[in-house]
Amino acid sequence: GNYLAVSDIAEQGSKARAIILISASDGTRRQLTEPLAEAYGDFVPAFSPDSRSIAFRRDTAVASDVYRVEISTRETMIVGRESVLIQGLIWPTANKIVYAAKRGSVAELFSLSSSDEQTPKKLLNLSTQASRISFARIGGNFYYLQNLNDTNVWETALDPSMENVLERKKLIASPRIDENAVLSPDGQKIAFISDRSGFSEIWLANSDGGEQSKLTDLSGPVIGALEWSPDGTLIAVQSSYGEHQDIYIVTAASGKSERLTEGGKHFVRG
């Protein structure tokens, strides 16, 4: 086209970023948006199919909203609100805007109406470690960086003085994340978090690392700290999805979960 849309500093001395239109022929700059005082700025501009409007995300400290701006009039309107930061955005058809966001442990694709504010509609899941998502304007393809982290659970034996290591061995391992291991009160079971199934879930293993099995089927939220009940029948877990951080109680024998708190930010420890 004749113009490039970029995110750049709105004005001299300002820290917020605005959507700027730059002429491809002579480099002339025209500021299209005015970031809100409480916002970090406006990012990832995407032209509409007819090139008359631009969709973009407006970031705060913890979330993004989707806006559109008319190029000729600079009229700006919100078309969708998101509870987390948006990772990528495209305007593939006249009436649809598509973006990627990670509300829980898995990056997801969502769609919005381009004409008015609506609740985002989920399209599909990507993966637990997807980031830097981008879209092709033609063909409906999208691309993302897959970060594969491999963390394992180790056991270390110390001498009676607690100063010297007697033995160190790997108990639980997979090609994905295995972390936050907690030993049951009777010392027979280890509860830990793993995303080896494609989602962040609670897993159980024997104290020697054997007989590993998935306990929960939450399929989405980020799982944080774990804590066993004193009798070893329940596991408290911190779970977050979008802006909500709540505590769930999971039955160790069956994996059945029940939400203990609702709304706000709650933590298992501290």
Side-chain angles (χ1 to χ4, degrees), residues 199-227:
F199 296 97
S200 181
E201 303 284 359
I202 301 175
W203 287 63
L204 291 180
N206 293 337
S207 58
D208 63 358
E211 298 186 12
Q212 299 171 26
S213 61
K214 184 163 67 78
L215 178 63
T216 59
D217 192 18
L218 301 175
S219 300
V222 175
I223 306 300
L226 304 177
E227 198 67 74

PDB file of all heavy atoms in Angstrom, residues 199-227:
ATOM      1  N   PHE A 199      -1.644 -29.582  28.575  1.00  0.00           N
ATOM      2  CA  PHE A 199      -2.150 -28.583  29.496  1.00  0.00           C
ATOM      3  C   PHE A 199      -1.417 -28.724  30.823  1.00  0.00           C
ATOM      4  O   PHE A 199      -0.861 -29.777  31.142  1.00  0.00           O
ATOM      5  CB  PHE A 199      -3.654 -28.757  29.752  1.00  0.00           C
ATOM      6  CG  PHE A 199      -4.518 -28.544  28.543  1.00  0.00           C
ATOM      7  CD1 PHE A 199      -4.949 -29.619  27.782  1.00  0.00           C
ATOM      8  CD2 PHE A 199      -4.903 -27.275  28.170  1.00  0.00           C
ATOM      9  CE1 PHE A 199      -5.749 -29.421  26.669  1.00  0.00           C
ATOM     10  CE2 PHE A 199      -5.700 -27.065  27.057  1.00  0.00           C
ATOM     11  CZ  PHE A 199      -6.128 -28.144  26.308  1.00  0.00           C
ATOM     12  N   SER A 200      -1.426 -27.664  31.603  1.00  0.00           N
ATOM     13  CA  SER A 200      -0.852 -27.708  32.943  1.00  0.00           C
ATOM     14  C   SER A 200      -1.806 -28.474  33.863  1.00  0.00           C
ATOM     15  O   SER A 200      -2.943 -28.044  34.077  1.00  0.00           O
ATOM     16  CB  SER A 200      -0.626 -26.288  33.457  1.00  0.00           C
ATOM     17  OG  SER A 200      -0.044 -26.292  34.731  1.00  0.00           O
ATOM     18  N   GLU A 201      -1.366 -29.618  34.391  1.00  0.00           N
ATOM     19  CA  GLU A 201      -2.213 -30.476  35.217  1.00  0.00           C
ATOM     20  C   GLU A 201      -1.442 -30.963  36.446  1.00  0.00           C
ATOM     21  O   GLU A 201      -0.209 -30.910  36.491  1.00  0.00           O
ATOM     22  CB  GLU A 201      -2.691 -31.701  34.424  1.00  0.00           C
ATOM     23  CG  GLU A 201      -3.442 -31.396  33.146  1.00  0.00           C
ATOM     24  CD  GLU A 201      -4.875 -30.922  33.362  1.00  0.00           C
ATOM     25  OE1 GLU A 201      -5.315 -30.834  34.519  1.00  0.00           O
ATOM     26  OE2 GLU A 201      -5.553 -30.644  32.350  1.00  0.00           O
ATOM     27  N   ILE A 202      -2.195 -31.462  37.453  1.00  0.00           N
ATOM     28  CA  ILE A 202      -1.587 -32.108  38.608  1.00  0.00           C
ATOM     29  C   ILE A 202      -1.373 -33.582  38.286  1.00  0.00           C
ATOM     30  O   ILE A 202      -2.277 -34.264  37.795  1.00  0.00           O
ATOM     31  CB  ILE A 202      -2.472 -31.973  39.862  1.00  0.00           C
ATOM     32  CG1 ILE A 202      -2.715 -30.503  40.197  1.00  0.00           C
ATOM     33  CG2 ILE A 202      -1.819 -32.681  41.054  1.00  0.00           C
ATOM     34  CD1 ILE A 202      -3.686 -30.303  41.348  1.00  0.00           C
ATOM     35  N   TRP A 203      -0.167 -34.068  38.567  1.00  0.00           N
ATOM     36  CA  TRP A 203       0.176 -35.472  38.386  1.00  0.00           C
ATOM     37  C   TRP A 203       0.598 -36.061  39.728  1.00  0.00           C
ATOM     38  O   TRP A 203       1.022 -35.334  40.634  1.00  0.00           O
ATOM     39  CB  TRP A 203       1.325 -35.621  37.387  1.00  0.00           C
ATOM     40  CG  TRP A 203       0.929 -35.378  35.954  1.00  0.00           C
ATOM     41  CD1 TRP A 203       0.462 -34.215  35.411  1.00  0.00           C
ATOM     42  CD2 TRP A 203       0.960 -36.331  34.891  1.00  0.00           C
ATOM     43  NE1 TRP A 203       0.196 -34.374  34.074  1.00  0.00           N
ATOM     44  CE2 TRP A 203       0.498 -35.669  33.716  1.00  0.00           C
ATOM     45  CE3 TRP A 203       1.335 -37.670  34.795  1.00  0.00           C
ATOM     46  CZ2 TRP A 203       0.404 -36.302  32.490  1.00  0.00           C
ATOM     47  CZ3 TRP A 203       1.252 -38.303  33.564  1.00  0.00           C
ATOM     48  CH2 TRP A 203       0.783 -37.632  32.427  1.00  0.00           C
ATOM     49  N   LEU A 204       0.482 -37.377  39.833  1.00  0.00           N
ATOM     50  CA  LEU A 204       0.929 -38.100  41.027  1.00  0.00           C
ATOM     51  C   LEU A 204       1.964 -39.141  40.644  1.00  0.00           C
ATOM     52  O   LEU A 204       1.939 -39.684  39.533  1.00  0.00           O
ATOM     53  CB  LEU A 204      -0.244 -38.798  41.732  1.00  0.00           C
ATOM     54  CG  LEU A 204      -1.293 -37.925  42.416  1.00  0.00           C
ATOM     55  CD1 LEU A 204      -2.369 -38.806  43.041  1.00  0.00           C
ATOM     56  CD2 LEU A 204      -0.670 -37.016  43.458  1.00  0.00           C
ATOM     57  N   ALA A 205       2.881 -39.415  41.572  1.00  0.00           N
ATOM     58  CA  ALA A 205       3.871 -40.481  41.397  1.00  0.00           C
ATOM     59  C   ALA A 205       4.162 -41.084  42.753  1.00  0.00           C
ATOM     60  O   ALA A 205       3.897 -40.462  43.801  1.00  0.00           O
ATOM     61  CB  ALA A 205       5.161 -39.929  40.783  1.00  0.00           C
ATOM     62  N   ASN A 206       4.689 -42.305  42.758  1.00  0.00           N
ATOM     63  CA  ASN A 206       5.165 -42.889  44.002  1.00  0.00           C
ATOM     64  C   ASN A 206       6.374 -42.105  44.493  1.00  0.00           C
ATOM     65  O   ASN A 206       6.991 -41.354  43.734  1.00  0.00           O
ATOM     66  CB  ASN A 206       5.526 -44.361  43.810  1.00  0.00           C
ATOM     67  CG  ASN A 206       4.311 -45.226  43.520  1.00  0.00           C
ATOM     68  OD1 ASN A 206       3.176 -44.865  43.856  1.00  0.00           O
ATOM     69  ND2 ASN A 206       4.535 -46.370  42.895  1.00  0.00           N
ATOM     70  N   SER A 207       6.767 -42.292  45.731  1.00  0.00           N
ATOM     71  CA  SER A 207       7.867 -41.517  46.307  1.00  0.00           C
ATOM     72  C   SER A 207       9.198 -41.781  45.602  1.00  0.00           C
ATOM     73  O   SER A 207      10.118 -40.967  45.692  1.00  0.00           O
ATOM     74  CB  SER A 207       8.002 -41.831  47.800  1.00  0.00           C
ATOM     75  OG  SER A 207       8.228 -43.221  47.999  1.00  0.00           O
ATOM     76  N   ASP A 208       9.297 -42.935  44.898  1.00  0.00           N
ATOM     77  CA  ASP A 208      10.516 -43.221  44.144  1.00  0.00           C
ATOM     78  C   ASP A 208      10.435 -42.736  42.701  1.00  0.00           C
ATOM     79  O   ASP A 208      11.327 -42.992  41.890  1.00  0.00           O
ATOM     80  CB  ASP A 208      10.822 -44.718  44.179  1.00  0.00           C
ATOM     81  CG  ASP A 208       9.731 -45.562  43.517  1.00  0.00           C
ATOM     82  OD1 ASP A 208       8.710 -44.995  43.052  1.00  0.00           O
ATOM     83  OD2 ASP A 208       9.888 -46.803  43.476  1.00  0.00           O
ATOM     84  N   GLY A 209       9.326 -42.013  42.358  1.00  0.00           N
ATOM     85  CA  GLY A 209       9.140 -41.505  41.009  1.00  0.00           C
ATOM     86  C   GLY A 209       8.396 -42.435  40.078  1.00  0.00           C
ATOM     87  O   GLY A 209       8.109 -42.084  38.939  1.00  0.00           O
ATOM     88  N   GLY A 210       8.081 -43.627  40.539  1.00  0.00           N
ATOM     89  CA  GLY A 210       7.401 -44.602  39.696  1.00  0.00           C
ATOM     90  C   GLY A 210       5.901 -44.390  39.618  1.00  0.00           C
ATOM     91  O   GLY A 210       5.322 -43.633  40.397  1.00  0.00           O
ATOM     92  N   GLU A 211       5.254 -45.060  38.666  1.00  0.00           N
ATOM     93  CA  GLU A 211       3.799 -45.038  38.475  1.00  0.00           C
ATOM     94  C   GLU A 211       3.245 -43.617  38.385  1.00  0.00           C
ATOM     95  O   GLU A 211       2.337 -43.231  39.125  1.00  0.00           O
ATOM     96  CB  GLU A 211       3.096 -45.833  39.584  1.00  0.00           C
ATOM     97  CG  GLU A 211       3.472 -47.299  39.621  1.00  0.00           C
ATOM     98  CD  GLU A 211       2.662 -48.090  40.632  1.00  0.00           C
ATOM     99  OE1 GLU A 211       1.658 -47.553  41.140  1.00  0.00           O
ATOM    100  OE2 GLU A 211       3.045 -49.238  40.914  1.00  0.00           O
ATOM    101  N   GLN A 212       3.772 -42.854  37.459  1.00  0.00           N
ATOM    102  CA  GLN A 212       3.302 -41.479  37.256  1.00  0.00           C
ATOM    103  C   GLN A 212       1.964 -41.490  36.520  1.00  0.00           C
ATOM    104  O   GLN A 212       1.797 -42.190  35.526  1.00  0.00           O
ATOM    105  CB  GLN A 212       4.336 -40.687  36.446  1.00  0.00           C
ATOM    106  CG  GLN A 212       5.682 -40.591  37.145  1.00  0.00           C
ATOM    107  CD  GLN A 212       6.760 -39.998  36.268  1.00  0.00           C
ATOM    108  OE1 GLN A 212       6.483 -39.241  35.344  1.00  0.00           O
ATOM    109  NE2 GLN A 212       8.017 -40.336  36.551  1.00  0.00           N
ATOM    110  N   SER A 213       1.012 -40.707  37.022  1.00  0.00           N
ATOM    111  CA  SER A 213      -0.322 -40.666  36.410  1.00  0.00           C
ATOM    112  C   SER A 213      -0.925 -39.275  36.558  1.00  0.00           C
ATOM    113  O   SER A 213      -0.688 -38.577  37.550  1.00  0.00           O
ATOM    114  CB  SER A 213      -1.252 -41.698  37.056  1.00  0.00           C
ATOM    115  OG  SER A 213      -1.408 -41.441  38.440  1.00  0.00           O
ATOM    116  N   LYS A 214      -1.701 -38.885  35.557  1.00  0.00           N
ATOM    117  CA  LYS A 214      -2.362 -37.571  35.578  1.00  0.00           C
ATOM    118  C   LYS A 214      -3.565 -37.622  36.502  1.00  0.00           C
ATOM    119  O   LYS A 214      -4.425 -38.492  36.367  1.00  0.00           O
ATOM    120  CB  LYS A 214      -2.772 -37.170  34.165  1.00  0.00           C
ATOM    121  CG  LYS A 214      -3.390 -35.785  34.053  1.00  0.00           C
ATOM    122  CD  LYS A 214      -3.383 -35.281  32.612  1.00  0.00           C
ATOM    123  CE  LYS A 214      -4.311 -36.106  31.732  1.00  0.00           C
ATOM    124  NZ  LYS A 214      -5.728 -35.738  31.929  1.00  0.00           N
ATOM    125  N   LEU A 215      -3.630 -36.679  37.448  1.00  0.00           N
ATOM    126  CA  LEU A 215      -4.722 -36.666  38.418  1.00  0.00           C
ATOM    127  C   LEU A 215      -5.880 -35.793  37.953  1.00  0.00           C
ATOM    128  O   LEU A 215      -7.038 -36.168  38.102  1.00  0.00           O
ATOM    129  CB  LEU A 215      -4.209 -36.162  39.775  1.00  0.00           C
ATOM    130  CG  LEU A 215      -5.250 -36.039  40.897  1.00  0.00           C
ATOM    131  CD1 LEU A 215      -5.833 -37.409  41.249  1.00  0.00           C
ATOM    132  CD2 LEU A 215      -4.621 -35.404  42.132  1.00  0.00           C
ATOM    133  N   THR A 216      -5.590 -34.630  37.401  1.00  0.00           N
ATOM    134  CA  THR A 216      -6.650 -33.686  37.033  1.00  0.00           C
ATOM    135  C   THR A 216      -6.838 -33.619  35.523  1.00  0.00           C
ATOM    136  O   THR A 216      -5.985 -34.057  34.754  1.00  0.00           O
ATOM    137  CB  THR A 216      -6.341 -32.274  37.563  1.00  0.00           C
ATOM    138  OG1 THR A 216      -5.088 -31.837  37.007  1.00  0.00           O
ATOM    139  CG2 THR A 216      -6.256 -32.276  39.082  1.00  0.00           C
ATOM    140  N   ASP A 217      -7.953 -33.030  35.128  1.00  0.00           N
ATOM    141  CA  ASP A 217      -8.251 -32.784  33.718  1.00  0.00           C
ATOM    142  C   ASP A 217      -8.840 -31.380  33.611  1.00  0.00           C
ATOM    143  O   ASP A 217      -9.962 -31.188  33.164  1.00  0.00           O
ATOM    144  CB  ASP A 217      -9.227 -33.839  33.194  1.00  0.00           C
ATOM    145  CG  ASP A 217      -9.349 -33.797  31.680  1.00  0.00           C
ATOM    146  OD1 ASP A 217      -8.460 -33.214  31.036  1.00  0.00           O
ATOM    147  OD2 ASP A 217     -10.340 -34.327  31.145  1.00  0.00           O
ATOM    148  N   LEU A 218      -8.051 -30.372  34.018  1.00  0.00           N
ATOM    149  CA  LEU A 218      -8.523 -28.993  34.065  1.00  0.00           C
ATOM    150  C   LEU A 218      -8.521 -28.349  32.682  1.00  0.00           C
ATOM    151  O   LEU A 218      -9.306 -27.449  32.411  1.00  0.00           O
ATOM    152  CB  LEU A 218      -7.656 -28.190  35.032  1.00  0.00           C
ATOM    153  CG  LEU A 218      -7.627 -28.722  36.477  1.00  0.00           C
ATOM    154  CD1 LEU A 218      -6.649 -27.920  37.325  1.00  0.00           C
ATOM    155  CD2 LEU A 218      -9.009 -28.704  37.092  1.00  0.00           C
ATOM    156  N   SER A 219      -7.599 -28.741  31.815  1.00  0.00           N
ATOM    157  CA  SER A 219      -7.587 -28.349  30.398  1.00  0.00           C
ATOM    158  C   SER A 219      -7.633 -26.845  30.166  1.00  0.00           C
ATOM    159  O   SER A 219      -8.496 -26.346  29.469  1.00  0.00           O
ATOM    160  CB  SER A 219      -8.758 -29.021  29.661  1.00  0.00           C
ATOM    161  OG  SER A 219      -8.668 -30.419  29.745  1.00  0.00           O
ATOM    162  N   GLY A 220      -6.713 -26.120  30.778  1.00  0.00           N
ATOM    163  CA  GLY A 220      -6.657 -24.704  30.457  1.00  0.00           C
ATOM    164  C   GLY A 220      -5.986 -23.795  31.459  1.00  0.00           C
ATOM    165  O   GLY A 220      -5.053 -23.071  31.104  1.00  0.00           O
ATOM    166  N   PRO A 221      -6.437 -23.770  32.726  1.00  0.00           N
ATOM    167  CA  PRO A 221      -5.868 -22.803  33.676  1.00  0.00           C
ATOM    168  C   PRO A 221      -4.386 -23.041  33.949  1.00  0.00           C
ATOM    169  O   PRO A 221      -3.871 -24.143  33.765  1.00  0.00           O
ATOM    170  CB  PRO A 221      -6.696 -23.042  34.949  1.00  0.00           C
ATOM    171  CG  PRO A 221      -7.941 -23.708  34.487  1.00  0.00           C
ATOM    172  CD  PRO A 221      -7.557 -24.526  33.295  1.00  0.00           C
ATOM    173  N   VAL A 222      -3.702 -21.993  34.399  1.00  0.00           N
ATOM    174  CA  VAL A 222      -2.333 -22.126  34.879  1.00  0.00           C
ATOM    175  C   VAL A 222      -2.377 -22.667  36.296  1.00  0.00           C
ATOM    176  O   VAL A 222      -3.084 -22.129  37.149  1.00  0.00           O
ATOM    177  CB  VAL A 222      -1.610 -20.764  34.857  1.00  0.00           C
ATOM    178  CG1 VAL A 222      -0.225 -20.890  35.479  1.00  0.00           C
ATOM    179  CG2 VAL A 222      -1.505 -20.245  33.432  1.00  0.00           C
ATOM    180  N   ILE A 223      -1.635 -23.726  36.552  1.00  0.00           N
ATOM    181  CA  ILE A 223      -1.599 -24.333  37.883  1.00  0.00           C
ATOM    182  C   ILE A 223      -0.346 -23.856  38.602  1.00  0.00           C
ATOM    183  O   ILE A 223       0.760 -23.943  38.060  1.00  0.00           O
ATOM    184  CB  ILE A 223      -1.583 -25.872  37.800  1.00  0.00           C
ATOM    185  CG1 ILE A 223      -2.750 -26.377  36.943  1.00  0.00           C
ATOM    186  CG2 ILE A 223      -1.651 -26.484  39.191  1.00  0.00           C
ATOM    187  CD1 ILE A 223      -4.100 -25.995  37.468  1.00  0.00           C
ATOM    188  N   GLY A 224      -0.521 -23.368  39.832  1.00  0.00           N
ATOM    189  CA  GLY A 224       0.611 -22.849  40.585  1.00  0.00           C
ATOM    190  C   GLY A 224       1.001 -23.751  41.735  1.00  0.00           C
ATOM    191  O   GLY A 224       1.187 -24.957  41.567  1.00  0.00           O
ATOM    192  N   ALA A 225       1.103 -23.189  42.925  1.00  0.00           N
ATOM    193  CA  ALA A 225       1.576 -23.934  44.098  1.00  0.00           C
ATOM    194  C   ALA A 225       0.589 -25.020  44.513  1.00  0.00           C
ATOM    195  O   ALA A 225      -0.626 -24.886  44.362  1.00  0.00           O
ATOM    196  CB  ALA A 225       1.807 -22.964  45.252  1.00  0.00           C
ATOM    197  N   LEU A 226       1.144 -26.107  45.059  1.00  0.00           N
ATOM    198  CA  LEU A 226       0.347 -27.225  45.582  1.00  0.00           C
ATOM    199  C   LEU A 226       0.590 -27.371  47.081  1.00  0.00           C
ATOM    200  O   LEU A 226       1.651 -27.027  47.582  1.00  0.00           O
ATOM    201  CB  LEU A 226       0.747 -28.538  44.896  1.00  0.00           C
ATOM    202  CG  LEU A 226       0.682 -28.626  43.374  1.00  0.00           C
ATOM    203  CD1 LEU A 226       1.203 -29.982  42.922  1.00  0.00           C
ATOM    204  CD2 LEU A 226      -0.744 -28.422  42.898  1.00  0.00           C
ATOM    205  N   GLU A 227      -0.403 -27.933  47.788  1.00  0.00           N
ATOM    206  CA  GLU A 227      -0.239 -28.235  49.211  1.00  0.00           C
ATOM    207  C   GLU A 227      -1.163 -29.377  49.587  1.00  0.00           C
ATOM    208  O   GLU A 227      -2.353 -29.354  49.283  1.00  0.00           O
ATOM    209  CB  GLU A 227      -0.548 -26.994  50.057  1.00  0.00           C
ATOM    210  CG  GLU A 227      -0.008 -27.058  51.476  1.00  0.00           C
ATOM    211  CD  GLU A 227       1.516 -27.036  51.508  1.00  0.00           C
ATOM    212  OE1 GLU A 227       2.111 -25.978  51.279  1.00  0.00           O
ATOM    213  OE2 GLU A 227       2.097 -28.117  51.761  1.00  0.00           O
TER     214      GLU A 227
END
